[in-house]
């Protein structure tokens, strides 16, 4: 079989269109929103504020892969309906995680980009299933995946015909326990240098600590990332999941302002 890895190394850079937003083009793309979709009103308020500050794509989980089975698992199908209504109202594309092959067909009616979460990067059935669609895919790095394993996961999707893959560095598990994960910006530098897939960074899961999110966002842009995905909320401390790493909308605005200034320098 043709080795796509070679193709990923040579030729034009791959640009992925999500609605009207292009990831991997000349402009940095900012994705933000809560960890979980909690209810319609909260998601709407967050979406409205993020639209006002110029965020391009909304995020929010409907199906949540929680470490404990007793924690909030997401609004599931009701979450997808909320997503659809809000993304239409604000004319903003929406990315959400799909965890189960059985949900793919239904989900593509509601969302603009499918997130494959870190825990599912090795789920080859799911990778193949989303590869059969033409939806843009946000492929998060497995928390223990090498760069090669991560790229092969991208190839699983692309080998099925879907070339709309965006990689997302979200930190890996190391011996360091101060931060939730260790954000591996080396990977971003290598991908930008050697491969033609777009790559964005998730400094929220990459650090687990909201006070580190602005600094690691700027570092990511300096490393050449094509964009950022940041967990934000109108009331970060009250987030139902991942509150400790969730920032305010004002912080997202501040990060975007700094990132755009920095972009002109690097
Ligand atoms: C998320 O984006 O909310 C999430 C669960 O991310 P990850 O798969 O990177 O842990
Ligand atoms: Mn989260």
């Amino acid at each position: 079989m043709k080795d796509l890895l070679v193709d990923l190394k040579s030729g034009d850079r791959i640009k992925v269109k999500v609605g009207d937003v292009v990831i991997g083009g000349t402009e940095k793309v900012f994705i933000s929103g809560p960890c979980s979709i909690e209810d319609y009103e909260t998601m709407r308020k967050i979406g409205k504020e993020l639209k006002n500050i110029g965020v391009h794509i909304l995020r929010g989980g409907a199906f949540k892969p929680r470490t404990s089975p007793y924690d909030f698992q997401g609004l599931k199908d009701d979450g997808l309906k909320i997503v659809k209504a809000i993304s239409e109202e604000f004319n903003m594309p929406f990315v959400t995680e799909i965890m189960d092959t059985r949900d793919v067909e239904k989900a593509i009616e509601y969302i603009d980009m499918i997130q494959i979460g870190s825990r599912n990067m090795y789920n080859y059935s799911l990778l193949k299933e989303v590869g059969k669609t033409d939806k843009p895919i946000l492929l998060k790095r497995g928390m223990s995946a090498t760069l090669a394993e991560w790229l092969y996961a991208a190839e699983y999707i692309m080998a099925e015909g879907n070339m709309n893959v965006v990689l997302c560095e979200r930190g890996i598990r190391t011996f360091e326990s101060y931060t939730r994960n260790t954000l591996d910006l080396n990977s971003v530098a290598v991908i930008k240098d050697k491969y033609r897939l777009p790559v964005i960074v998730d400094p929220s899961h990459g650090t687990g600590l909201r006070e580190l999110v602005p600094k690691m966002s700027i570092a990511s842009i300096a490393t050449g990332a094509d964009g950022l995905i940041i967990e934000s909320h109108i009331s970060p401390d009250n987030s139902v999941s991942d509150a400790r790493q969730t920032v305010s909308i004002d912080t997202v605005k501040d990060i975007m302002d700094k990132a755009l200034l920095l972009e002109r320098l690097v």
Side-chain angles (χ1 to χ4, degrees), residues 3-264:
D3 190 352
L4 272 170
L5 200 56
V6 176
D7 281 351
L8 289 185
K9 285 187 170 176
S10 57
D12 292 340
R13 289 205 162 277
I14 293 170
K15 296 187 176 100
V16 176
K17 245 186 129 214
V18 187
D20 292 334
V21 180
V22 178
I23 308 182
T26 45
E27 281 181 33
K28 303 292 178 198
V29 171
F30 298 96
I31 306 175
S32 194
C35 179
S36 306
I37 300 159
E38 299 168 7
D39 56 73
Y40 173 78
E41 265 317 314
T42 309
M43 187 65 232
R44 187 176 179 278
K45 283 186 192 146
I46 296 170
K48 190 168 184 209
E49 294 203 11
L50 290 173
K51 170 86 182 181
N52 283 341
I53 63 165
V55 161
H56 303 99
I57 300 175
L58 292 176
R59 66 146 285 149
F63 301 92
K64 294 307 300 178
R66 305 302 301 281
T67 302
S68 164
Y70 308 112
D71 285 341
F72 177 59
Q73 304 284 307
L75 296 179
K76 306 196 173 79
D77 291 7
D78 289 341
L80 293 180
K81 288 180 194 141
I82 291 174
V83 160
K84 178 98 178 149
I86 289 166
S87 76
E88 278 178 5
E89 179 178 356
F90 298 121
N91 191 24
M92 288 171 90
F94 210 111
V95 56
T96 200
E97 176 168 359
I98 300 300
M99 300 200 297
D100 193 314
T101 50
R102 291 166 295 187
D103 291 324
V104 172
E105 207 181 316
K106 162 184 61 195
I108 57 182
E109 305 295 324
Y110 292 91
I111 62 176
D112 305 284
M113 185 179 213
I114 298 174
Q115 175 172 317
I116 300 295
S118 185
R119 292 156 191 80
N120 270 315
M121 191 212 80
Y122 292 109
N123 183 340
Y124 299 122
S125 313
L126 184 61
L127 298 178
K128 285 189 207 167
E129 196 67 23
V130 299
K132 290 185 192 127
T133 75
D134 57 6
K135 281 278 160 183
I137 309 297
L138 185 61
L139 178 62
K140 288 206 158 189
R141 181 182 186 173
M143 60 186 79
S144 65
T146 63
L147 181 61
E149 287 167 341
W150 186 18
L151 289 164
Y152 273 126
E155 289 192 36
Y156 261 96
I157 299 168
M158 297 170 112
E160 296 296 325
N162 188 349
M163 299 298 277
N164 303 311
V165 177
V166 176
L167 299 170
C168 177
E169 166 62 50
R170 48 78 74 206
I172 49 176
R173 222 174 233 198
T174 67
F175 58 82
E176 181 55 72
S177 58
Y178 184 86
T179 45
R180 180 174 179 181
N181 289 293
T182 297
L183 189 64
D184 178 21
L185 293 183
N186 291 353
S187 78
V188 178
V190 174
I191 291 161
K192 292 306 293 183
D193 193 35
K194 300 259 187 293
Y195 297 90
R196 49 193 198 101
L197 279 169
V199 58
I200 68 166
V201 174
D202 172 350
S204 309
H205 294 87
T207 63
L209 300 170
R210 72 165 70 105
E211 59 274 25
L212 300 183
V213 170
K215 286 198 174 67
M216 299 319 288
S217 295
I218 299 310
S220 304
I221 296 296
T223 313
D226 294 299
L228 297 168
I229 179 166
I230 298 171
E231 285 185 342
S232 64
H233 199 287
I234 43 167
S235 175
D237 280 332
N238 293 318
S239 304
V240 168
S241 54
D242 286 350
R244 186 65 185 86
Q245 68 194 33
T246 298
V247 299
S248 66
I249 313 293
D250 282 349
T251 302
V252 177
K253 164 103 177 72
D254 199 45
I255 291 170
M256 288 171 69
D257 289 346
K258 291 201 172 97
L260 294 175
L261 276 177
L262 174 69
E263 198 193 336
R264 287 195 229 134

